[in-house]
Amino acid sequence: MKKHIYILASLLLVSGITLAQKGNLKRANKLFEMRAYVEAAEIYETKDRNQEVLQNLADSYYYNTKLQKAIKTYRELFVSYGDSIDIEFHFRFAQALKGVKDYKEADAHLSRYYNKRINTLAFIENTDKTTPHTFKLQQIANEASTNSDFGMSFYGDDKVVFASTRNSESPSYAWNELPYLDLYSGTLTPDEKLENVMPFSEEINTDSHESNATFSKDGKTMYFNRTNNLRAKTEEERIAHVQIYKAELVDGNWTNVKELPFNSNSYSCEHPSISKDGKTLYFASDMPGTMGGFDIYKVAINDDGTYGTPENLGSNVNTKHREQFPFISDLDVLYFASDGHLGYGGLDVFRSNSVNGNFDTPVNLGSSINSSLDDFAYIIREKDNQGFVSSNRSGFDRLYGFGREENILTKYLVEGIVQDNNSKKLLPGSLVTLFDDAGNVIQDSIVGAKAYYLFKIEPNKKYKVRGTRKAYIPQDVEFSTDSKGKIQHNIYLSLESFADAEENVKENEKGDVQVELDKIYFDFDKSKIRDDAATTLNVLVDLMKKYPSMEIEVSAHTDARGNDQYNLDLSKRRAASTLEYLVSKGIERNRLKSIGYGEMQPLNKCVKEDICSEEEYDVNRRCEFTILN
């Protein structure tokens, strides 16, 4: 929920601030700008509660996860100054509300923020059904007294590395008045207890922050975070930034510590993760060109030890808010934390698969690992389904081990293909619809080139799947996932075309499927349905009643003799009269369409007067019945 000391883009250098200076509002604003939120809040609480004071006080509580105080102050702010508040306060207020699981009020602010309806509870329900895995978390037991342990990494086969504020001799950090971070190694017992915890050497741990170590496959190279020690030159920017460093293991000691060339004193690079082949480093940064507060980047590690140009992973992964703590697994799956994608509250863990060199739409990992507060620094050994994650759900940053299992709800599915009942040819472009037992549409899909469909379903439910296609008879198949049914269903939808099912349905040269009837005759210059025409049309009535999904276009045509406009108007009247007859016989009007083409669509060369015989002109005087669906 807050921007923790390990999440920061920018870290403080505020050693000159004393208690004697606290009463000054100008000093409070300076403390706020420098992210010394604890001290800033103390001063703001003593001041008149104007808009600036309320905004900064609410944000100070928000960034330090004092959520009840943040919510109370944001609410006061919105009551007093709602019309003049910057839109970003809606986002932070919503995040604070989600932190205490007040999703209804949070959604009201998020809906305004995103200018679309947000329904977090519906999102949570759907995510828990569709997320690929579930997780069993266990907090890692720790004998040390510390308020912050996070960012665990694999360190060889039997060790782990993590960041901690357990060094009580470290100076206090003004953001939240906790000690500075150092890196520690240790071993884990089978029951998730840390043992043999040792700090890294002074070559790695300095009097600044160090965190988020990652190691090459051979264990001889380490990348990690360190806060730089340079105070920015301008009074307005008295902050330091996070940078990525590299160290090498030489004769059992970590040495040759160097910062990476794309670091900067004006922005942060943090949370490194190295690919299995050692050729790509992933990290988070707020460098120029970033889409939001922080984005995920990657950079090539060249064979000669140099680095390429950092590349932003783009809008599939990154949002206008925070994407941080990337981890690239052995299977090239990207895991990261974000508060910009829809989630449970604060930072949530997401996964994104690599597809043709790009990462696809991220998937929230669900409520078995994500909470309403911050969940981050996820790592996993995919083959073992074992890993670690960090969270402040208990009020402090803590380490959790987890086992990962397949989500049983995703095992319930119905899948299949759509094919022609007679030729067995695939029918891409067909519509497949899933209904519940009340007839409500749950999902639908237009099948692709392989004519394949898949729907995720739930246990103990009854369903119906329907395949439809133009000029084909729909097929319905009912099935169940209750105790008498199956978990997985493979249903081939074999659709029969009207042309195969009925002798008087044919496909013409243009590919239109038509119902062939005896010729309909009208009296000269008339559009009234004659008795002989009615007998013919009754064949169509019976066919449409047999197939309730069938939709028909009734078209009327004339020959080329006579006035063009007269012929067009006459054909329109005859088509409309035919439609009305069908309606009078019980065919729903919405299944019918009438159109008159006049002399515009002749079937032969008789396109003007006095060039054809009577029999040839007669060919073009007709009604046609084309199947639309």
Side-chain angles (χ1 to χ4, degrees), residues 74-346:
Y74 280 130
R75 187 168 286 125
E76 182 180 351
L77 172 66
F78 274 90
V79 168
S80 301
Y81 303 100
D83 294 337
S84 61
I85 297 173
D86 185 273
I87 192 68
E88 291 299 323
F89 284 93
H90 284 278
F91 180 82
R92 291 195 288 277
F93 189 16
Q95 291 298 318
L97 290 163
K98 290 172 80 171
V100 298
K101 298 185 179 181
D102 186 349
Y103 293 121
K104 183 177 181 180
E105 188 175 358
D107 286 347
H109 288 276
L110 287 176
S111 296
R112 179 166 180 180
Y113 181 79
Y114 288 111
N115 196 27
K116 64 179 182 180
R117 185 172 181 269
I118 300 297
N119 188 333
T120 300
L121 288 176
F123 164 80
I124 290 172
E125 181 181 3
N126 182 66
T127 299
D128 286 344
K129 293 176 186 176
T130 59
T131 188
H133 301 98
T134 58
F135 300 85
K136 292 184 178 179
L137 269 63
Q138 181 176 342
Q139 184 174 327
I140 293 174
N142 187 357
E143 299 296 332
S145 175
T146 174
N147 287 323
S148 184
D149 292 328
F150 71 91
M152 187 164 278
S153 303
F154 299 115
Y155 185 30
D157 293 330
D158 57 352
K159 287 187 177 182
V160 292
V161 172
F162 60 98
S164 178
T165 58
R166 65 186 59 210
N167 182 3
S168 60
E169 297 179 1
S170 178
S172 176
Y173 172 57
W175 175 291
N176 55 9
E177 299 185 339
L178 295 177
Y180 276 64
L181 292 162
D182 284 332
L183 286 171
Y184 293 80
S185 66
T187 57
L188 275 176
T189 65
D191 57 350
E192 301 286 343
K193 290 183 180 179
L194 268 174
E195 293 184 343
N196 306 316
V197 176
M198 297 288 293
F200 274 65
S201 68
E202 293 183 357
E203 186 84 1
I204 302 299
N205 288 332
T206 66
D207 58 2
S208 187
H209 288 290
E210 283 81 27
S211 64
N212 293 96
T214 186
F215 299 88
S216 60
K217 187 177 180 181
D218 62 10
K220 295 180 179 180
T221 302
M222 173 173 63
Y223 294 92
F224 64 97
N225 290 348
R226 177 181 288 169
T227 309
N228 68 13
N229 288 315
L230 294 178
R231 179 190 292 263
K233 293 182 180 180
T234 62
E235 184 69 14
E236 289 75 20
E237 297 184 9
R238 296 169 62 190
I239 55 177
H241 293 278
V242 181
Q243 298 178 337
I244 300 175
Y245 283 74
K246 174 185 176 182
E248 296 175 341
L249 187 64
V250 179
D251 296 329
N253 297 310
W254 288 106
T255 186
N256 298 331
V257 179
K258 298 178 182 178
E259 65 174 283
L260 301 192
F262 49 84
N263 285 328
S264 172
N265 290 326
S266 59
Y267 57 81
S268 288
C269 295
E270 59 187 26
H271 311 151
S273 177
I274 191 169
S275 62
K276 181 180 180 181
D277 62 10
K279 295 183 178 181
T280 307
L281 188 72
Y282 293 82
F283 63 98
S285 179
D286 61 347
M287 66 175 60
T290 299
M291 298 172 59
F294 274 84
D295 283 359
I296 308 296
Y297 286 79
K298 68 177 181 179
V299 65
I301 304 173
N302 300 320
D303 292 339
D304 60 1
T306 61
Y307 299 85
T309 301
E311 299 177 43
N312 190 298
L313 294 193
S315 59
N316 255 10
V317 170
N318 295 314
T319 70
K320 64 179 295 187
H321 295 287
R322 290 185 293 153
E323 281 69 47
Q324 297 174 287
F325 297 96
F327 173 74
I328 191 74
S329 78
D330 287 351
L331 300 181
D332 284 332
V333 178
L334 176 69
Y335 298 90
F336 64 96
S338 172
D339 66 0
H341 297 282
L342 189 57
Y344 294 74

Side-chain angles (χ1 to χ4, degrees), residues 401-454:
F402 64 76
R404 185 179 73 176
E405 298 176 349
E406 185 177 355
N407 185 359
I408 188 172
L409 291 180
T410 65
K411 292 182 178 180
Y412 286 83
L413 57 87
V414 56
E415 62 181 339
I417 60 171
V418 188
Q419 61 184 6
D420 186 283
N421 184 60
N422 295 293
S423 69
K424 305 306 179 185
K425 290 176 59 175
L426 298 179
L427 296 176
S430 301
L431 172 66
V432 183
T433 307
L434 181 69
F435 300 87
D436 63 17
D437 59 354
N440 301 309
V441 174
I442 300 174
Q443 302 175 63
D444 56 28
S445 175
I446 302 292
V447 298
K450 296 182 180 179
Y452 173 76
Y453 73 91
L454 182 148

Side-chain angles (χ1 to χ4, degrees), residues 1-20:
M1 182 56 59
K2 63 186 178 182
K3 292 184 180 177
H4 300 78
I5 47 181
Y6 49 82
I7 297 172
L8 275 183
S10 307
L11 299 174
L12 291 172
L13 294 170
V14 293
S15 57
I17 299 172
T18 67
L19 290 174

